[in-house]
Amino acid sequence: MNSESAGPALDARHYDVLLSATPRAARLARLLAVEQLRGWGLPLDAPRAIVAELAANAVTHGRVPGRGFRLALLAWPGLLRIEVTDTRGDLLPVLRAPGRGLVLVDAYADRWGVREGPAPGKVVWAEVSWTGASATTCPRRPSAPGTWGSR
């Protein structure tokens, strides 16, 4: 690994896990995220709801038989980024008023969006920010957001 690509990655706390695309694994994603965030001393309520919805969507709408989904958590002071990668890049999430999942993500997240993931997939991401003592428990946020989008 060269020093240019190692820089921002070393500045953030990072956790990721590959899970099977099943309802049980969607629940496991939520439980693993909560335990990781608790270990980092970060807020739990909004991230718990966001992970639950994004993981359920990956299992319900982003499932390809034999392929799983990935949950990633990236934390900087005052900011948590949640990413769920699935293998259905052809099905993009749509915010619908009567729908429950993305309406909740939209309500809990400061920003969320979707970007192209490893072919043939997509990454649905959400960011949650906070202030207070737990905002100082992570290393600094990188100065350039890179491929991050916005609502």
Side-chain angles (χ1 to χ4, degrees):
M1 177 185 281
N2 68 39
S3 61
E4 290 180 64
S5 64
L10 295 176
D11 291 342
R13 289 192 177 186
H14 179 258
Y15 171 82
D16 73 65
V17 61
L18 181 63
L19 299 160
S20 61
T22 64
R24 177 179 249 170
R27 187 176 73 239
L28 179 59
R30 178 181 51 83
L31 296 171
L32 290 171
V34 165
E35 286 307 309
Q36 185 63 53
L37 295 172
R38 184 176 285 129
W40 288 343
L42 300 181
L44 301 176
D45 292 338
R48 176 187 295 129
I50 292 169
V51 169
E53 295 302 332
L54 294 183
N57 284 351
V59 167
T60 305
H61 306 293
R63 183 178 187 278
V64 172
R67 297 191 180 178
F69 72 97
R70 179 174 301 279
L71 166 68
L73 305 173
L74 298 101
W76 295 272
L79 180 72
L80 173 69
R81 183 175 175 93
I82 300 162
E83 296 183 345
V84 174
T85 305
D86 67 43
T87 53
R88 290 293 306 265
D90 58 324
L91 286 177
L92 298 180
V94 177
L95 181 64
R96 295 187 187 125
R100 190 185 114 197
L102 288 178
V103 172
L104 286 176
V105 170
D106 191 58
Y108 280 112
D110 294 310
R111 299 180 339 140
W112 71 274
V114 61
R115 65 177 165 82
E116 192 174 305
K122 67 180 174 297
V123 178
V124 183
W125 58 267
E127 293 179 347
V128 178
S129 59
W130 64 90
T131 59
S134 58
T136 62
T137 61
C138 298
R140 65 181 172 79
R141 179 180 179 192
S143 56
T147 59
W148 297 8
S150 63
R151 282 200 252 202

